[in-house]
């Protein structure tokens, strides 16, 4: 149930909010109206476009007029649209009209992007223009439309229309699901073939379940380990399959592991705040782990926003004179939100106020939910060709069922967030970057100072991360005051983290003993190592685990008894 009674905002407050919102919308429109495209740049682009378009037209005419099978009927080397994987099928190459259309599209796309690059105005507005142009370009690809896609047309002819009928069935199923399917959802079930590491739920409240995993070694380190996963996703990204499970790997290294499984927010949680997520989330989990194990200190890990929640919780406890963390691992986490990459394009005062007015504590309903589908769509359109249009073409135009892929199944298993918690996070981190400023914010009744989190920290970032750019994560080194180790992995936000050693894929970079202020200076001196960063982390973590003791024979203790088997029921709740 709701944790506090709802109080309607006053008329004066509502009027002031409306005035401020209108003012900020006006400023945004003013910034757009101030954009300018320099005439010399426009003239140069026009001339270059006409030259390339003329060459393309002449080459296409030569192909049409050449005898079948002759050299002239084939596109000249380097002129083919095949360099773009959307047009890699031989159907595009074999059809002169389709080949011309694909190449004309690519020429138009390059020109539009150059136009966007040459726009003059304030930097954030320019970035938004570039982002909007890229979205339009990706959506306008001829490969996305049945009438213009020769590969989809051929398949329709070969199947006598069955591919189109199957595509329509896929479309209707996705309309009912509320998202474009990226994998065959019927092939996976949480607890059956994903999230299968053996364990037990030993505690639960209205925010999370705490899972204790069964030891896989006769002895374990005396200090337990607590994982705080992101609350905007399900925790089982850390436990997809036995061979790529960071949870199982940690248990195999001899750690007594506890993992938080966040509840998928529903209407009963619509007024939950950031303070509640801190007090009843990581702080409560730390307390329960201490009570179950008898350990005074424990090792901790936070992933993405889970790392932000964990660090905030440890700062609150530090203000209360408590320092329960023997170490802290942060995976692709922001503490300093100065440089948040492409996500910054979506966030300004007008946007934040709009969210506060609709789902924040001062909204007419006193709160609300940020739907998981909104978050999922936002993240998908950061990479639209890979995560949206690729599946529109395959699922709907060709009638193909996407192949089973556990990571994409997890990616589609979205979660809701309470509005008041989300808008506090949005304003004080991404928009105003107050979290890292000592004494500016009050959380759970305590003045927040992240410098008081002086525990040894292992900070991991992914080099191609578009959600938490690695140089932004590197800034965490300047926020925390303890001994720090920074490691950079290859690939992106998820694939970089989930990189088990056995597969010997990708690589990682480790710097020297000193951590320079600038990320580039660190990278210039860092050494690249083949394979997974997990082994480096495991060696570092072992140094903080303490001596080995006999592994517990059963989960929990007399007070905290096993409630149900892992992965528990909270993770199975759908948005």
């Amino acid at each position: 149930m709701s944790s506090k009674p709802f109080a309607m905002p006053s008329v004066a407050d509502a009027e002031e909010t409306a005035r401020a919102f209108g003012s900020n919308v006006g400023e945004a429109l003013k910034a757009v109206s101030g954009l300018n495209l320099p005439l010399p740049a426009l003239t140069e682009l026009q001339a270059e476009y006409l030259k390339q378009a003329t060459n393309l037209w002449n080459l296409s005419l030569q192909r049409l007029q050449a005898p079948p099978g002759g050299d002239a009927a084939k596109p000249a080397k380097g002129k083919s649209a095949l360099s773009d994987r959307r047009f890699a099928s031989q159907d595009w190459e074999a059809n002169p009209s389709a080949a011309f259309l694909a190449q004309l599209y690519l020429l138009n796309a390059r020109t539009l992007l150059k136009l966007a690059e040459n726009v003059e105005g304030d930097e954030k507005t320019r970035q938004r223009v570039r982002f909007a142009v890229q979205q339009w370009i990706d959506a306008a690809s001829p490969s996305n439309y049945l009438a213009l896609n020769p590969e989809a047309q051929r398949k329709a002819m070969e199947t006598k229309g069955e591919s189109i009928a199957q595509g329509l069935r896929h479309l209707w199923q996705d309309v009912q699901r509320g998202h474009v399917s990226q994998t065959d959802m019927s092939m996976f079930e949480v607890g059956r073939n994903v999230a299968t590491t053996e364990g037990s739920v030993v505690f639960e409240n209205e925010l999370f379940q705490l899972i204790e995993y069964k030891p896989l070694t006769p002895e374990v380190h005396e200090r337990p380990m607590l994982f705080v996963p992101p609350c905007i996703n399900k925790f089982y990204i850390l436990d997809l399959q036995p061979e790529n499970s960071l949870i199982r790997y940690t248990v195999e290294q001899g750690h007594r592991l506890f993992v938080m499984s966040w509840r998928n927010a529903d209407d009963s949680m619509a007024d939950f705040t950031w303070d509640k997520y801190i007090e009843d989330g990581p702080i409560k989990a730390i307390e329960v782990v201490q009570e179950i194990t008898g350990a005074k200190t424990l090792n901790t890990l936070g992933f993405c926003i889970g790392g932000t929640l964990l660090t905030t919780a440890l700062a609150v406890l530090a203000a209360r004179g408590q320092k329960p963390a023997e170490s802290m691992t942060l995976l692709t986490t922001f503490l300093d939100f100065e440089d948040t990459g492409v996500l910054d394009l979506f966030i300004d005062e007008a946007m934040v106020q709009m969210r506060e007015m609709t789902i924040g504590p001062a909204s007419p309903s006193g709160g609300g939910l940020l739907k998981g589908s909104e978050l999922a769509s936002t993240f998908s359109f950061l990479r639209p060709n890979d995560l949206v249009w690729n599946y529109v073409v395959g699922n709907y135009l060709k009638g193909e069922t996407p192949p089973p892929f556990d990571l994409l199944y997890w990616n589609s298993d979205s979660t809701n967030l309470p509005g008041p918690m989300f808008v506090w996070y949005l304003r004080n981190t991404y928009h105003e970057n107050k979290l890292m400023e000592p004494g500016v914010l009050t959380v759970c009744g305590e003045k927040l100072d992240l410098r008081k989190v002086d525990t040894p920290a292992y900070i991991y970032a992914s080099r191609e991360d578009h959600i938490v750019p690695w140089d932004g994560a590197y800034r965490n080194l300047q926020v925390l005051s303890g001994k720090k180790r920074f490691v950079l992995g290859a690939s992106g936000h998820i694939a970089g983290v989930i990189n088990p050693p056995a597969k010997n894929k990708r690589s990682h970079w480790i710097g020297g003993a000193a951590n320079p202020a600038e990320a580039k200076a660190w990278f210039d001196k860092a050494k690249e190592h083949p394979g997974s960063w997990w082994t480096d982390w495991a060696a570092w973590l072992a140094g903080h685990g303490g001596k080995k003791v006999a592994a517990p024979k059963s989960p929990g203790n007399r007070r905290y008894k096993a409630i149900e088997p892992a992965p528990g029921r909270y993770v199975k709740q759908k948005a």
Side-chain angles (χ1 to χ4, degrees):
M1 295 297 293
S2 179
S3 60
K4 59 184 178 182
F6 159 63
M8 280 289 291
S10 68
V11 174
D13 288 342
E15 290 178 348
E16 178 60 30
T17 300
R19 278 195 297 270
F21 178 68
S23 174
N24 283 290
V25 170
E27 289 297 320
L29 293 174
K30 184 178 178 181
V32 173
S33 65
L35 293 174
N36 177 55
L37 186 63
L39 184 58
L42 179 59
T43 302
E44 182 181 348
L45 283 171
Q46 285 176 329
E48 180 64 22
Y49 178 82
L50 287 173
K51 178 182 177 182
Q52 293 188 43
T54 301
N55 289 339
L56 176 59
W57 176 251
N58 290 334
L59 287 170
S60 298
L61 283 178
Q62 291 176 21
R63 287 194 65 192
L64 287 171
Q65 295 169 358
D71 289 341
K74 301 175 183 178
K77 189 174 182 180
K79 300 294 184 179
S80 173
L82 296 184
S83 58
D84 189 299
R85 64 182 180 84
R86 290 171 292 181
F87 310 116
S89 169
Q90 187 61 31
D91 295 285
W92 293 92
E93 183 88 29
N95 185 323
S97 298
F100 172 75
L101 184 62
Q103 292 177 85
L104 182 63
Y105 161 77
L106 292 172
L107 172 59
N108 290 338
R110 290 193 299 269
T111 304
L112 285 171
L113 285 175
K114 288 177 182 177
L115 282 169
E117 289 291 337
N118 281 279
V119 166
E120 293 180 344
D122 74 89
E123 184 56 29
K124 189 163 186 173
T125 305
R126 291 180 69 244
Q127 290 177 0
R128 285 177 167 172
V129 169
R130 288 196 294 270
F131 181 82
V133 168
Q134 186 65 64
Q135 293 293 318
W136 187 88
I137 287 172
D138 293 341
S141 171
S143 59
N144 297 338
Y145 302 93
L146 180 61
L148 303 177
N149 189 322
E151 183 184 6
Q153 293 169 7
R154 174 183 56 78
K155 188 162 187 179
M157 295 292 289
E158 290 176 349
T159 63
K160 299 181 179 179
E162 178 57 30
S163 62
I164 296 177
Q166 184 63 34
L168 290 173
R169 285 192 286 269
H170 287 160
L171 175 61
W172 177 240
Q173 290 168 358
D174 285 353
V175 167
Q176 294 175 306
R177 292 189 183 109
H179 63 83
V180 178
S181 293
Q182 299 172 334
T183 186
D184 186 351
M185 302 291 286
S186 65
M187 296 297 292
F188 297 101
E189 181 183 346
V190 175
R192 179 176 63 85
N193 56 3
V194 291
T196 59
T197 300
E198 190 174 353
S200 301
V201 174
V202 293
F203 171 82
E204 65 181 48
N205 61 16
E206 55 190 345
L207 267 183
F208 74 97
Q209 290 186 315
L210 185 67
I211 301 170
E212 180 179 0
Y213 285 92
K214 182 179 179 180
L216 296 174
T217 54
E219 293 183 321
V220 295
H221 290 279
E222 63 177 340
R223 290 192 187 94
M225 181 88 196
L226 172 66
F227 280 11
V228 183
C231 55
I232 62 173
N233 299 112
K234 302 290 183 70
F235 83 90
Y236 65 88
I237 184 58
L238 300 169
D239 189 32
L240 288 174
Q241 303 292 332
E243 60 270 18
N244 65 1
S245 168
L246 183 59
I247 285 176
R248 185 177 181 86
Y249 179 81
T250 304
V251 176
E252 289 174 340
Q253 305 311 303
H255 296 281
R256 188 175 181 184
L257 179 60
F258 295 80
V259 176
M260 295 177 66
S261 172
W262 294 99
R263 183 178 166 199
N264 203 336
D266 57 24
D267 290 337
S268 69
M269 302 169 63
D271 64 352
F272 282 14
T273 62
W274 180 264
D275 280 23
K276 186 172 181 63
Y277 262 70
I278 298 298
E279 191 74 68
D280 294 347
I283 289 180
K284 185 61 180 178
I286 289 170
E287 174 190 325
V288 173
V289 171
Q290 288 176 316
E291 290 185 18
I292 288 176
T293 64
K296 292 182 179 180
T297 60
L298 59 153
N299 294 302
T300 59
L301 178 147
F303 183 14
C304 191
I305 187 179
T308 311
L309 288 162
L310 171 63
T311 309
T312 304
L314 293 178
V316 169
L317 291 173
R320 296 172 180 174
Q322 304 173 41
K323 296 197 173 181
E326 183 71 21
S327 75
M328 176 173 68
T329 298
L330 298 179
L331 307 179
T332 58
T333 292
F334 278 135
L335 299 179
D336 181 342
F337 289 74
E338 179 66 27
D339 179 14
T340 57
V342 69
L343 289 178
D344 183 58
L345 302 181
F346 301 96
I347 300 167
D348 57 18
E349 182 62 26
M351 179 270 191
V352 174
Q353 286 190 7
M354 184 272 290
R355 289 296 189 181
E356 290 172 337
M357 292 165 60
T358 53
I359 59 174
S363 65
S365 59
L369 294 177
L370 177 72
K371 296 296 186 180
S373 56
E374 289 189 57
L375 284 172
S377 295
T378 298
F379 289 130
S380 290
F381 276 98
L382 297 180
R383 294 169 52 202
N385 281 335
D386 293 331
L387 298 177
V388 180
W389 299 114
N390 174 50
Y391 297 102
V392 167
V393 173
N395 298 1
Y396 310 149
L397 303 192
K398 300 180 187 177
E400 299 170 348
T401 300
F405 188 9
D406 52 10
L407 191 149
L408 291 177
Y409 172 81
W410 165 84
N411 191 56
S412 300
D413 194 3
S414 59
T415 56
N416 303 324
L417 288 177
M421 175 267 189
F422 173 72
V423 298
W424 188 99
Y425 174 65
L426 197 63
R427 175 170 291 283
N428 291 295
T429 59
Y430 279 94
H431 185 44
E432 297 181 353
N433 195 21
K434 290 181 177 178
L435 190 70
M436 46 81 69
E437 296 182 21
V440 172
L441 296 177
T442 299
V443 177
C444 300
E446 307 291 346
K447 289 288 186 182
L448 203 66
D449 187 352
L450 300 188
R451 297 174 306 178
K452 292 183 178 180
V453 182
D454 55 5
T455 184
Y458 188 102
I459 300 172
Y460 169 85
S462 292
R463 192 179 180 189
E464 288 86 38
D465 194 338
H466 60 289
I467 296 174
V468 180
W470 82 267
D471 48 352
Y474 186 83
R475 297 172 71 95
N476 296 343
L477 297 174
Q478 310 302 319
V479 177
L480 302 171
S481 59
K483 188 177 180 180
K484 291 150 290 198
R485 181 175 182 81
F486 184 82
V487 175
L488 179 66
S491 198
H493 189 70
I494 298 300
V497 172
I498 308 304
N499 185 28
K503 294 190 176 182
N504 197 30
K505 293 175 64 177
R506 307 186 183 96
S507 61
H508 61 282
W509 289 261
I510 299 175
N515 293 311
E518 297 298 324
K520 185 179 183 303
W522 178 91
F523 186 77
D524 288 342
K525 294 185 178 181
K527 183 179 179 182
E528 184 175 4
H529 300 264
S532 173
W533 61 272
W534 288 15
T535 51
D536 179 77
W537 173 69
W540 178 88
L541 185 62
H544 299 282
K547 66 181 182 181
K548 292 290 189 72
V549 297
K553 298 185 184 302
S554 58
N557 60 12
R558 290 184 178 180
R559 180 179 178 186
Y560 297 101
K561 301 181 185 298
I563 299 172
E564 60 182 330
R569 66 188 186 282
Y570 281 15
V571 74
K572 298 178 182 180
Q573 296 171 339
K574 298 296 182 181

